[in-house]
Each structure stands twice: as structure tokens, then as C-alpha cells.
Amino acid sequence: MSAVKEAFQKARAEGRRAVIPYLTAGYPSPERFLDYARVLAEEADLFEVGLPFSDPLGDGPVIQRASEAALRQGVRTKKVLELVGKLAERTDVPLLLMTYLNPVLAYGKERFFKDFAAAGIKGVILPDLPPDEDPGVAEAAREAGLATVFLLAPTSTDRRIGVVTGYTTGFVYAVSVTGVTGARDRLPEEIGALVRRVKAKTELPVAIGFGISGEETARQAAAAGADGVVVGSALIRAIEAGADPRRVLQAVRKGATL
Amino acid sequence: MEGFRFLDFPVPDERGRFGPYGGRYVPETLIPALEELEAAFEEARRDPEFLAVYRQYLKDYAGRPTPLYFAERLSEELGGARVYLKREDLAHTGAHKINNTLGQALLARRMGKKRVIAETGAGQHGVSVATVAAMFGLEAVIYMGEEDVRRQALNVFRMELLGAKVVPVASGTKTLKDATNEAIRDWVTNVRTTSYILGSVVGPHPYPRMVRDFQSVIGQEIRASLLEKEGRAVPDAIIACVGGGSNAIGAFAPFAYEEPRPRLIGVEAAGEGLDTGHHAASIAAGKRGVLHGSYMYLLQDGDGQIAPAHSVSAGLDYPGVGPEHSYLADIGAVEYAAVTDEEALEGFKLLARTEGIIPALESAHAVAYAAKMVPTMGRDEIVVINISGRGDKDVAEVKRILGEGR
Ligand SMILES: Cc1ncc(COP(=O)(O)O)c(C=O)c1O
């Protein structure tokens, strides 16, 4: 079984929905990213690293700012590979890479996935690629030994759920809102319906992301039937504010514990 | 003239591909909306009632057909081919953009959407969306880069006067590319109630096709007018500027896929020069990649980060170029050239001086290229320059630039 699926099982066995923090690689600086990531990984079941991109059209203002700050410091694909390598040395938590498609294509998709797998990445999340748009991408990721993760949204039709899960080997990333990334106070009620519709089509684990901000939203996600919760903007907001993101993640973990 | 028709073109295929280009690279949230839009457009383009209403608005509201004007003094000055100007500058709101916004607004109305959003660069598309939204009673929100808000202050005021809300975008390069990101984010968030009226032949399928089909009224009219004036429907060459590529594809498409094919020349913005890195020439100097939902030629660095575009003209200041242009470049059906800021300013002055027509800085790129090409052509040859818009919006910026040069 893949490290990614195993992480969901392990969390479940410990009475918890998988806790998946997200940080943008190189934010707030390459060194401090590593420090934060290492500390947060201690509270995590899986860990998501974002590759900064100039045009992150699926992201809200918080992750946009983090992305711009990382790019300003010269954090590009090679540097992200290096940071991932260092992080993998310091944690056993499976690492996921979140990246927009263009940096993958520019690097060459086969080589991109191979190099990231070698650096310690276990799965890849592609937020702007409906997988059937270019099936070669998911195939290249699988051939490099990476689990594939794609997004589904409350607007997704049952037909799209069928198509997208057909290309997924890791877990389904269920977007809680029709919208971009960003912390919210509450999740919309309709998220439960999406999780049910996805689970009717697949045995894959389902993680809810977008809008998870603390204990309450994590609890809502758990109640909606999710197998995992992704939290990103709330962590970055804490870092921006000079607060301790570990507090946020601990609250999420509490909400995600059954 | 019988008026606009929806023509059948050989591209894109049913997946929205022009050869390898195009497609639908967007967050999954939008896929159902794009499928719905595609179905609504397919249905509308086969509906005689929709066609009749669209034609009526093109005529009575946009003021079409626009003239095909024989530019006698310009032709004499250049001393080569006979030059005609396709006067999109005379369409309502002063640019070709209205052809597309009328079509998409009618479609939004047909789909029962009450709110429309758009991105804008020069502000011409934004003004055009604000205009049709006012006319149809739709709520309009226009995203515009902060840099463009500064360069095109008059158009911001125009949009507000028309009742639209203008949202300045401060992220990234603060220009058209970032305004487009922000419009897409709005659409992802409000997709159930909102129509996104995209302004060029870019973006995810079906936009490149739909915008092309609406804009093809330009080329259809060129055929009809030329037949009337010169007894032949096909000129020797058509020149148009290329930002995203909508005015150019509108002029080219009715000619590009059949014989005899005129020389079709798309003119990109070479900015301060192709070798300076400060330009917007995606075909001349870009590489293939994905931005805003489409696979196309793109300005980017070696890591696939999108490179900032530069042009004196805000409407050409975009790092990508529509998938159909990318395809037409590859198959050699259209030639692509690039013209610098400086040359475009010369073109701007040339047309003003010889013909009493102040073109948009975007269109001035096409004029500038014509000024190089026409003198090499024969007296019996015919060239059409697509004057995609009028230059009133640019007069203050040109004054500033020329003033600095003194
Ligand atoms: C007058 C005019 N021409 C050309 C353009 C460039 O767009 P496109 O290449 O889609 O025609 C613009 C865009 O704002 C414009 O306002």
C-alpha cells in the first residue's frame, strides 16, 4: 500500500481524521519554512508543500502573498526540490507536493515527478489540471511512484466525480466551498453531500480542504464524513501575524479527533 | 449584405483543441460551468432567433457594419499597395470588443445570469462589458490591474459612469494577466450566479471558440465590403494587432481556412525590443505552456513562472496568445511579426497625420507594420489594416511619453 493511504489508515486507527497541514515552500524564508514545517509535521499525518507560482488562480489572498514572497526570494523548482529533500530528512510524515501545471510542463513532466520522488515526495496535487485534460500527466506521476490527488468541488457532477476518481490513486481532495483557498469560520452545509457523493463512487480516502481554520471547522469536516482535513491559509496567516501556527494545527487536530 | 452568420471552422475539436493548443486547464469547480456554457452556446448558435437578435443589436446598438475605408492619403504616402482600413474604431464604445460582449451578454441573459464579471487591460473590454450590462440591466464587476487603472484613468471613470464596479488588482504584475486571475477567482467563487465575459480568444474552452465566432463578424464584413468596392472578396493581405488575439482572429478566421488565402499578418508588441526582455511577443519569443485555462505560446522563465509582459499599449500587455493563433502560427497559415513601442508610436502619428484617424495604440502596431510592408507591394495589390479601436483613450499617455522624449 502507498505511504499516502497508509497515513490515512494509521490516523484512523489512532481515532483521528488525517491532519494535513499546507505550507508554501520558501515562505516566510527558505530556512524558516523548514523550521515551521518540521515542527508542524510533528502534529501531522501527511504534509503538503506548495510550489510557489506566479499566477496561483485557485488561491485566495493569503497563499497568493506567501507565493509572491517565496518567489521574490528566488524560490523556484530547483530550490523547492532542495527544501523538500531537507524536510524529508527530518520527518517520516509522507510529503505531498501541490503544484500548478505550468512549472511541471516547463521542467518536463517525467523528469519533474522523478526528481521530486527522489527528493522524498510521495504524492502530487494538481489544482488546475482536470486529469482527463492531459492524461499523460497523471501517468507520468504514477510511473515515478507518486500517488495522484485531484480536486472535486460542490459543483462537481456525478459524471465528473467518476472521471476524476478514475485518475486518483492517493485521496480525493474535496473542496469545501465553491471558491478559492482561504480560512473561513464555518464550512457550508453542502460539503456533507459532496463527501457522500464521492464515497458512493470510490473507496479512496476523502480529505476536505479550503476553509479549515481551527477546531470547529475541522469538527464540521469530520462530521461531514471526511477521512482527512487540509489546513493551509490559517497556518500562513498565523505566521504572517507572528503567532505560532502550531496552535492552529493543534486545534485542527483536536477537531479532527473522533 | 445579409449580415453576420455563425460559420463552421475546422478547429477546435470537440475538446476545444486547436491542434495541441487550447483545452480546459482550470480548477475542477469550473468544469461544470464550462460544460454548461458550451452547451448553451452550441444551442444558441443554431437558434435562428438568437442569431436574429444578435444581428439586430450589432446593427442598431453597435452600429455595424463598420466601414471599410479606402485610405487614399496613407496609400499615397506609403507608395505601394492600396490600403483599406477596417473601421472597428467606429463601433459603439470605440473598439471591436463590443462584437463579443454583445454576444456573451445575450448568452448570459439566455442562461438566466444576472451578474457578469470581466477582466480588462486597456479598459476597452471593461467599458464594453459595462456598456452592455447597463443596456441589459445586469450587474457588472470589472477587474483591472492597478498599473492599468493608472494608465487608463479615463476608462475607469467611464466604466463607473456606466454603473459597473471596477476592482483594482494589486497582485503580481498589476496588469491584465493578474486581472484575469482575479476574475477567474471571482468566477470560481460565484459560478452559480455569475457569467464571466472573457474579452479575448484566450481562456478555457469554449471561450477561444466562442469569442472567435462572435468576432468573425469583422472578417465577414471585410469580404462583403471588398467585393462591393473592388469586385473581389479576398484582399492580398490583412494586418491586425495581436494581444490575446480577438480582433485579429475575427478578421482572419473567415479567410484562414480556405483558398485563396490572403497573407494574414498578426502583429505582436515587441515593447522595448525582443532582445530586451521587455515585450509582449508570445509567439515570437515565448514557449508553450498553460495559463488561464489554455495551452498556448506563453512568456515564461525556465522554471515555468509566467514572465511579465511589457507594451506601451495596455491592451497588448499580456504574456499569452490565443490557442488558435498558436496553432495558425505552427501550421504557417498566419505570419506573426512584432513591432516596438517606438514604431507603434510612429504608426499612431502616421495615421493621425495622413487620414485624420487617431488609432488605439494597439491598432497602431498594425499600422506600423503596414508602413513597413506596404511600400514593398505592387500598386494593384490590396491591404486591409484592422483598426481595432480608436485612440482617444491613449492620447494622454502618448502626450506624456512624447513629452518626456523632448
Ligand atoms: C483597441 C484594442 N485593440 C486590440 C486589443 C487587444 O486584444 P485582442 O488581441 O484580443 O484583439 C485591445 C485590448 O484591450 C484593444 O482595446
Side-chain angles (χ1 to χ4, degrees):
Chain A
M1 190 192 303
S2 77
V4 173
K5 276 195 188 155
E6 238 167 67
F8 279 92
Q9 289 209 337
K10 180 164 160 288
R12 172 73 57 166
E14 292 171 10
R16 187 173 65 246
R17 317 300 171 132
V19 174
I20 313 173
Y22 163 97
L23 288 183
T24 301
Y27 178 82
S29 70
E31 285 68 37
R32 292 181 63 208
F33 159 77
L34 281 177
D35 292 340
Y36 280 120
R38 194 169 38 79
V39 171
L40 292 175
E42 286 169 17
E43 314 281 344
D45 297 293
L46 294 136
F47 192 93
E48 190 181 329
V49 176
L51 189 142
F53 183 52
S54 54
D55 295 80
L57 53 76
D59 284 303
V62 174
I63 294 179
Q64 284 176 48
R65 281 198 297 273
S67 219
E68 282 189 25
L71 288 172
R72 268 199 307 276
Q73 297 175 70
V75 179
R76 303 277 196 284
T77 308
K78 287 233 165 59
K79 185 73 184 174
V80 178
L81 269 169
E82 181 192 317
L83 291 172
V84 163
K86 285 186 179 162
L87 182 57
E89 282 169 16
R90 298 182 203 181
T91 179
D92 295 330
V93 171
L95 303 179
L96 306 164
L97 181 74
M98 198 294 294
T99 179
Y100 287 87
L101 183 59
N102 202 52
V104 180
L105 299 180
Y107 196 92
K109 56 182 187 286
E110 285 84 9
R111 197 162 70 89
F112 183 95
F113 293 128
K114 226 164 62 196
D115 287 359
F116 272 97
I121 289 290
K122 302 290 185 217
V124 61
I125 304 170
L126 296 154
D128 63 343
L129 178 67
D132 50 331
E133 204 47 62
D134 187 350
V137 176
E139 194 183 308
R142 282 195 307 270
E143 267 167 22
L146 298 180
T148 53
V149 178
F150 294 100
L151 277 56
L152 283 167
T155 52
S156 297
T157 56
D158 288 344
R159 196 182 66 76
R160 287 305 302 168
I161 292 173
V163 170
V164 171
T165 53
Y167 288 90
T168 304
T169 60
F171 61 91
V172 173
Y173 192 131
V175 173
S176 72
V177 290
T178 57
V180 294
T181 57
R184 290 165 180 89
D185 294 336
R186 283 194 66 75
L187 300 186
E189 296 297 331
E190 63 186 2
I191 186 59
L194 174 62
V195 174
R196 273 194 304 281
R197 288 195 296 129
V198 174
K199 290 204 169 257
K201 293 248 182 218
T202 178
E203 308 268 281
L204 291 162
V206 178
I208 292 180
F210 291 30
I212 304 289
S213 59
E215 182 176 341
E216 180 51 32
T217 43
R219 195 185 331 270
Q220 270 186 284
D227 303 295
V229 292
V230 183
V231 51
S233 297
L235 299 174
I236 290 172
R237 220 166 48 179
I239 294 172
E240 275 184 338
D244 184 357
R246 191 166 40 176
R247 292 266 161 73
V248 176
L249 194 60
Q250 282 164 345
V252 168
R253 192 177 161 104
K254 195 162 167 218
T257 301
L258 305 176
Chain B
M1 193 187 322
E2 47 178 88
F4 169 83
R5 285 186 307 126
F6 285 105
L7 303 176
D8 289 318
F9 297 107
V11 282
D13 65 16
E14 68 286 353
R15 302 212 44 144
R17 295 285 176 164
F18 303 83
Y21 303 104
R24 201 172 258 175
Y25 298 91
V26 290
E28 192 66 37
T29 309
L30 291 180
I31 295 291
L34 290 166
E35 287 174 347
E36 188 192 341
L37 180 64
E38 183 187 0
F41 177 62
E42 285 307 319
E43 200 187 273
R45 77 194 290 287
R46 281 193 298 267
D47 178 358
E49 178 69 27
F50 182 85
L51 180 63
V53 173
Y54 179 53
R55 278 182 178 171
Q56 196 69 45
Y57 279 107
L58 284 179
K59 178 164 172 283
D60 295 342
Y61 193 72
R64 303 201 72 90
T66 58
L68 186 71
Y69 163 72
F70 175 53
E72 192 173 351
R73 290 237 312 135
L74 178 65
S75 303
E76 263 169 34
E77 169 116 359
L78 296 178
R82 295 161 64 77
V83 179
Y84 279 88
L85 307 178
K86 179 58 175 165
R87 300 289 309 276
E88 292 302 295
D89 59 311
L90 292 179
H92 182 41
T93 73
H96 69 292
K97 300 285 180 187
I98 192 89
N99 307 330
N100 170 45
T101 51
L102 273 175
Q104 287 199 52
L106 282 170
L107 203 57
R109 199 173 69 164
R110 191 180 165 100
M111 294 171 74
K113 310 276 176 163
K114 301 262 185 292
R115 177 176 183 267
V116 297
I117 57 170
E119 82 296 339
T120 196
Q124 289 305 100
H125 176 58
V127 165
S128 184
V129 171
T131 298
V132 299
M135 193 249 300
F136 288 127
L138 303 167
E139 178 193 351
V141 177
I142 313 293
Y143 292 94
M144 188 169 185
E146 269 186 355
E147 174 70 10
D148 293 332
V149 167
R150 183 190 65 74
R151 287 194 283 192
Q152 304 286 344
L154 200 57
N155 270 343
V156 174
F157 181 67
R158 243 179 225 133
M159 287 184 267
E160 288 171 350
L161 205 60
L162 291 160
K165 184 174 161 208
V166 179
V167 181
V169 176
S171 59
T173 57
K174 306 178 176 37
T175 62
L176 179 55
K177 146 181 111 65
D178 310 281
T180 307
N181 290 337
E182 208 52 36
I184 293 174
R185 290 183 188 115
D186 180 316
W187 202 34
V188 169
T189 307
N190 301 299
V191 60
R192 287 171 171 131
T193 58
T194 297
S195 265
Y196 179 18
I197 301 188
L198 227 164
S200 193
V201 283
V202 298
H205 179 57
Y207 284 103
R209 167 177 189 202
M210 183 167 70
V211 177
R212 185 249 344 247
D213 284 5
F214 288 132
Q215 289 294 1
S216 74
V217 67
I218 301 172
Q220 294 183 38
E221 287 179 4
I222 291 174
R223 284 190 96 96
S225 305
L226 206 60
L227 187 61
E228 205 173 275
K229 289 177 196 294
E230 294 276 352
R232 53 187 275 205
V234 182
D236 294 287
I238 304 177
I239 306 175
C241 68
V242 176
S246 67
N247 86 87
I249 215 75
F252 296 168
F255 299 93
Y257 300 103
E258 51 186 68
E259 296 293 338
R261 185 171 59 213
R263 280 183 71 187
L264 301 171
I265 299 135
V267 184
E268 296 189 297
E272 293 167 13
L274 290 185
D275 48 3
T276 63
H278 296 257
H279 59 77
S282 316
I283 290 179
K287 283 178 301 197
R288 298 165 190 178
V290 166
L291 180 68
H292 298 148
S294 196
Y295 188 62
M296 59 186 172
Y297 281 105
L298 205 54
L299 300 180
Q300 53 182 313
D301 68 15
D303 293 306
Q305 304 289 338
I306 308 308
H310 167 85
S311 169
V312 68
S313 117
L316 302 183
D317 203 342
Y318 183 73
V321 62
E324 188 164 7
H325 285 291
S326 302
Y327 171 71
L328 289 167
D330 280 9
I331 66 170
V334 176
E335 305 159 47
Y336 292 86
V339 151
T340 63
D341 288 351
E342 217 175 287
E343 292 170 318
L345 287 165
E346 286 307 314
F348 185 84
K349 290 191 284 186
L350 173 67
L351 197 65
R353 181 168 58 74
T354 56
E355 293 293 347
I357 296 169
I358 299 177
L361 271 177
E362 292 80 10
S363 324
H365 285 71
V367 175
Y369 189 78
K372 294 197 237 184
M373 187 176 117
V374 170
T376 69
M377 298 176 73
R379 294 261 170 202
D380 53 347
E381 292 192 279
I382 295 171
V383 172
V384 176
I385 309 174
N386 196 30
I387 304 299
S388 55
R390 60 196 243 182
D392 306 47
K393 69 182 174 63
D394 296 313
V395 169
E397 181 75 356
V398 171
K399 174 167 183 281
R400 191 181 69 79
I401 295 166
L402 297 180
E404 271 174 14
R406 257 177 220 134

